[in-house]
Amino acid sequence: MREDMKSMIADTFSQMLEKEDIDKITVTKLIGECHISRQTFYYHFRDIMDVLDWTFRRSTQALARRSLEAEDRVGALTAYVIFVRQNRIKLEKLLYSRRWVQIEAMLTESVMIYLAEMARGQGKDIRVSVDDMEVMLRFYASGVVGVLLQYVGKPHLDEEKLVIQMEKIITGKMFPGEQS
């Protein structure tokens, strides 16, 4: 029951975020929309920012699971494109909030989870130190998130082409035959 109430509050918050800026969403407005008491709200969350954090963490964890369940890299990257497209309005509203750094970090962490699993699947073919792997995963994950946030939602964007381009970059196929 506790998780159901927490989810209901988070879902209501998410719906409100589609319509108004985060700075205008107060505990009073949220509990009014949820038809719950202030005490119930504070039993589950510390404040509005705690709701935001919990809501996006839950969403990005589900996104990481979906990407890992995808049949291939293209399917996994498509899941990220769809997530950003579906949440574009919320993401744009959060862009200038004081929690943007945490939101972007959660998205990056989600991509890192997928990329780490992809790298583990390569196993014996990848010969890099743990430290180098961490930097490589963060570099690619940050790049994927940056590209998604820049491109998804643009008019006339060919999302399938974007996914293929990102997959080529991740696999090193973007610049075939390049010598070091």
Side-chain angles (χ1 to χ4, degrees):
M1 184 72 159
R2 177 184 151 101
E3 282 298 310
D4 290 345
M5 178 59 69
K6 203 167 185 168
S7 293
M8 189 273 293
I9 294 169
D11 292 343
T12 303
F13 170 80
S14 187
Q15 291 166 5
M16 291 175 74
L17 191 56
E18 294 233 5
K19 297 178 222 159
E20 49 191 307
D21 292 336
I22 188 156
D23 298 330
K24 294 186 178 173
I25 300 174
T26 63
V27 171
T28 302
K29 282 184 177 179
L30 182 56
I31 64 175
E33 288 286 321
C34 292
H35 306 290
I36 60 171
S37 69
R38 188 170 288 275
Q39 181 180 3
T40 299
F41 174 84
Y42 285 112
Y43 176 78
H44 296 286
F45 296 103
R46 289 184 309 277
D47 54 24
I48 290 294
M49 290 302 156
D50 191 28
V51 180
L52 173 66
D53 184 68
W54 192 85
T55 302
F56 269 83
R57 193 164 306 284
R58 178 180 67 159
S59 295
T60 56
Q61 287 169 350
L63 175 58
R65 281 192 303 277
R66 279 194 306 276
S67 71
L68 292 171
E69 293 166 357
E71 291 183 23
D72 56 17
R73 279 186 293 271
V74 170
L77 290 168
T78 299
Y80 286 98
V81 168
I82 291 168
F83 176 85
V84 172
R85 180 178 9 95
Q86 288 175 340
N87 291 284
R88 187 71 186 183
I89 293 169
K90 292 177 216 167
L91 291 168
E92 286 173 349
K93 287 181 183 283
L94 292 168
L95 182 60
Y96 298 105
S97 78
R98 52 186 181 189
R99 292 296 285 242
W100 177 250
V101 172
Q102 289 93 332
I103 298 299
E104 189 174 29
M106 284 184 247
L107 286 169
T108 302
E109 194 66 31
S110 176
V111 175
M112 280 184 67
I113 290 168
Y114 166 71
L115 292 174
E117 281 301 311
M118 185 181 87
R120 268 194 274 289
Q122 304 291 315
K124 57 190 172 294
D125 298 337
I126 298 178
R127 291 174 179 53
V128 296
S129 71
V130 172
D131 289 341
D132 288 347
M133 179 63 80
E134 173 73 20
V135 170
M136 181 180 70
L137 290 173
R138 188 153 308 278
F139 177 81
Y140 280 116
S142 296
V144 167
V145 169
V147 166
L148 289 174
L149 294 174
Q150 290 294 315
Y151 285 95
V152 175
K154 299 262 186 201
H156 313 296
L157 174 70
D158 184 343
E159 289 180 356
E160 287 180 35
K161 181 179 178 183
L162 179 64
V163 166
I164 299 298
Q165 290 169 320
M166 287 190 302
E167 196 264 346
K168 283 178 166 180
I169 292 168
I170 290 170
T171 60
K173 295 176 185 171
M174 184 63 87
F175 302 106
E178 202 168 285
Q179 302 294 322
S180 41

